Amino acid sequence: LEVRQLGDIYEGLLGGHLELEGKLLIPMSERGALQRSGTVYTPDWVVCFLVEKTLKPLADEAHNGREVQDAIKRGKKDNSFALRILNLNVLDNAMGSGHLLVRATEWLADQIVYHPTTKFQVETVPPGISQEQAEVAYWRRRVVEACIYGVDSNELAVELSKLSLWLTCIAVNEPLNFLDHHLRTANSLIGAKLDELSVLPVHQDANQIPFSFGRTLTDAVSDAIKEIEAIEEQASTEVDIVKKKEERWRDKVLERLEPFKRVANLWTATAAGLKLNESEYVSLGSAFVEPPKPRSKEAQEFKKLWEKHSAECERITTRLQPFHWELEFPDVFFHDDGTRKENPGFDALLGNPPYISTQTSSAFEYRTALEQRFRFVDDLYVHFTFQGFNLLRNGGMFGYIVSDTFFTLS
């Protein structure tokens, strides 16, 4: 299957639902539901055009780097260009079925394969394919784990994106790539920034001591980034390697950052209506990050306070699906010692965002959190566009499909 065919399947599955009539399940209301979700499948020629226009300047910059030019002059195949490409971070923050990310993977891998500094990586070519095909497959697999990031609020879309990328990167006698660390199910518009977490969204007490993570956050981010780098640096050539990547991601990245995500979730829930004062926020946040000793007075106080707010907090969090970018993709924003990068953010952002009105849709449930985050409420594609620029590093490339009305917005 071509990825565009998977996109057609995605449209049908996302837009439809099954209803029981007697003993039969009947598919109902495909297109109507699809249009209400704001989902748009992008034609392949548009995707290819957008990918090349967005990524070519970054590839040219890598090609013109001093070490790459030195290797070219010396006729040296040292993979210097490939290593620079593998350091790029490319995001689609409303990825749908992954069409843009698939073409980005293919395009970047092709630049590596046919670059004069790239040496062969596949020593034993499987029967039935050429050395060229084996090299393309190898570099696609490296690119997809190192460079490609995507977020979507629809779990089905994320699973179809993984399927699309697996089919694109499939290699004979090798397992499917590990993609969980970069393809995520969440609402990419709603979440907290780390520098906001010291006080609640609506500061209530001018005398309140701000909440602080201290060194614990820096150490946790540093530990997580080192594990992420280990995941990305090793090629997924064996099933055991992929399984170890899954374990490393679950046990040493997600678990390490979970306490800070709980604080960010609490902050976001408050922005969306959770009734919480600053003293309670500081108490809960401190206990999330540094749990009190079991059976201590502090543990009992924490339990009582959390029981008061946990049900409402979890209800709001489940509904909003917040995504805290700096905690979910820490290597994009921080050095491996846990300090913030001088120029944080993604190198390139690609997208065809959903088109849905937040003003008139009765199904749109998170206006309050959206307004708190952006200080305005507009059509959803406008928020995705603004957020895209905020996630981009200075000097990064932005390739987005937007309505021409964006350029006349007041």
Side-chain angles (χ1 to χ4, degrees):
L1 289 175
E2 274 284 323
V3 67
R4 62 177 178 270
Q5 294 166 319
L6 288 172
D8 291 337
I9 295 170
Y10 164 63
E11 281 192 343
L13 292 174
L14 181 61
H17 65 277
L18 295 172
E19 292 185 4
L20 188 63
E21 289 189 6
K23 294 183 178 180
L24 296 177
L25 284 171
I26 308 297
M28 301 291 287
S29 185
E30 287 88 346
R31 292 295 167 185
L34 175 66
Q35 291 164 0
R36 287 195 297 275
S37 74
T39 305
V40 179
Y41 180 67
T42 317
D44 192 56
W45 71 267
V46 176
V47 169
C48 293
F49 173 85
L50 196 65
V51 165
E52 182 173 2
K53 288 292 183 182
T54 306
L55 299 183
K56 190 174 187 305
L58 298 172
D60 289 344
E61 184 180 347
H63 172 79
N64 293 326
R66 186 195 308 176
E67 70 277 14
V68 177
Q69 287 299 308
D70 286 347
I72 292 173
K73 290 175 183 176
R74 297 175 184 177
K76 190 177 180 181
K77 292 186 179 291
D78 60 357
N79 287 337
S80 53
F81 175 79
L83 293 175
R84 291 198 59 166
I85 293 296
L86 292 178
N87 281 326
L88 295 176
N89 296 317
V90 180
L91 169 70
D92 185 344
N93 58 340
M95 64 180 167
S97 59
H99 196 172
L100 282 156
L101 296 180
V102 165
R103 294 301 182 226
T105 301
E106 293 172 341
W107 194 89
L108 289 173
D110 284 349
Q111 304 311 300
I112 294 174
V113 169
Y114 301 111
H115 196 270
T117 62
T118 302
K119 61 183 177 182
F120 287 161
Q121 299 296 306
V122 182
E123 296 179 357
T124 305
V125 178
I129 66 171
S130 65
Q131 179 79 48
E132 181 184 26
Q133 291 171 315
E135 295 298 322
V136 168
Y138 173 86
W139 287 111
R140 284 182 180 180
R141 293 166 68 83
R142 292 299 305 278
V143 165
V144 79
E145 286 195 8
C147 306
I148 302 300
Y149 295 75
V151 182
D152 200 285
S153 62
N154 186 279
E155 187 175 3
L156 175 61
V158 176
E159 294 306 313
L160 279 168
S161 293
K162 290 179 185 177
L163 176 61
S164 299
L165 288 165
W166 279 331
L167 291 175
T168 301
C169 302
I170 202 162
V172 178
N173 299 329
E174 292 191 9
L176 300 175
N177 285 80
F178 177 68
L179 302 178
D180 290 355
H181 64 314
H182 282 181
L183 301 184
R184 315 292 293 281
T185 302
N187 182 342
S188 65
L189 293 179
I190 302 297
K193 299 176 183 176
L194 291 177
D195 60 6
E196 297 173 327
L197 297 180
S198 59
V199 295
L200 287 174
V202 179
H203 193 55
Q204 299 166 348
D205 184 356
N207 298 318
Q208 180 67 48
I209 298 174
F211 173 70
S212 174
F213 289 122
R215 279 289 310 176
T216 56
L217 176 62
T218 303
D219 293 342
V221 166
S222 176
D223 293 343
I225 290 175
K226 289 170 184 174
E227 298 297 334
I228 292 169
E229 288 175 345
I231 289 172
E232 295 179 1
E233 286 171 359
Q234 190 174 20
S236 298
T237 54
E238 299 174 8
V239 173
D240 284 347
I241 292 175
V242 175
K243 286 183 177 179
K244 286 178 181 177
K245 287 185 178 185
E246 292 173 352
E247 293 170 1
R248 177 171 259 158
W249 170 248
R250 182 183 64 246
D251 299 338
K252 297 185 178 180
V253 179
L254 292 181
E255 188 173 310
R256 189 73 174 89
L257 296 175
E258 181 60 26
F260 309 98
K261 292 180 188 177
R262 293 185 72 187
V263 177
N265 283 343
L266 187 65
W267 186 95
T268 305
T270 306
L274 177 67
K275 303 301 182 184
L276 191 74
N277 64 46
E278 294 235 357
S279 176
E280 292 174 326
Y281 173 67
V282 171
S283 296
L284 289 173
S286 300
F288 288 155
V289 175
E290 295 186 25
K293 294 180 180 179
R295 294 186 294 277
S296 65
K297 179 183 177 183
E298 291 79 8
Q300 293 174 354
E301 291 174 348
F302 163 70
K303 181 181 178 182
K304 184 177 179 180
L305 182 59
W306 183 231
E307 285 177 349
K308 175 183 175 183
H309 295 290
S310 60
E312 181 65 5
C313 180
E314 289 169 5
R315 185 191 69 80
I316 294 174
T317 301
T318 300
R319 178 168 56 86
L320 292 181
Q321 294 179 282
F323 193 75
H324 316 294
W325 287 89
E326 294 159 307
L327 292 173
E328 301 294 351
F329 298 138
D331 50 315
V332 175
F333 301 95
F334 297 92
H335 294 294
D336 59 9
D337 64 356
T339 59
R340 180 170 288 275
K341 289 182 176 180
E342 295 74 20
N343 186 13
F346 291 89
D347 299 286
L349 201 122
L350 296 162
N352 186 10
Y355 290 79
I356 183 172
S357 172
T358 60
Q359 305 286 357
T360 59
S361 172
S362 60
F364 194 81
E365 298 180 335
Y366 54 98
R367 283 190 189 86
T368 302
L370 201 65
E371 189 165 11
Q372 178 69 41
R373 174 76 283 149
F374 291 92
R375 306 299 180 188
F376 69 90
V377 178
D378 210 309
D379 286 353
L380 213 53
Y381 86 90
V382 178
H383 290 282
F384 274 100
T385 306
F386 269 78
Q387 185 212 48
F389 281 117
N390 289 333
L391 292 171
L392 202 64
R393 67 167 172 82
N394 291 333
M397 294 298 298
F398 190 85
Y400 236 52
I401 299 169
V402 297
S403 166
D404 57 3
T405 58
F406 178 79
F407 300 100
T408 59
L409 290 171
S410 59

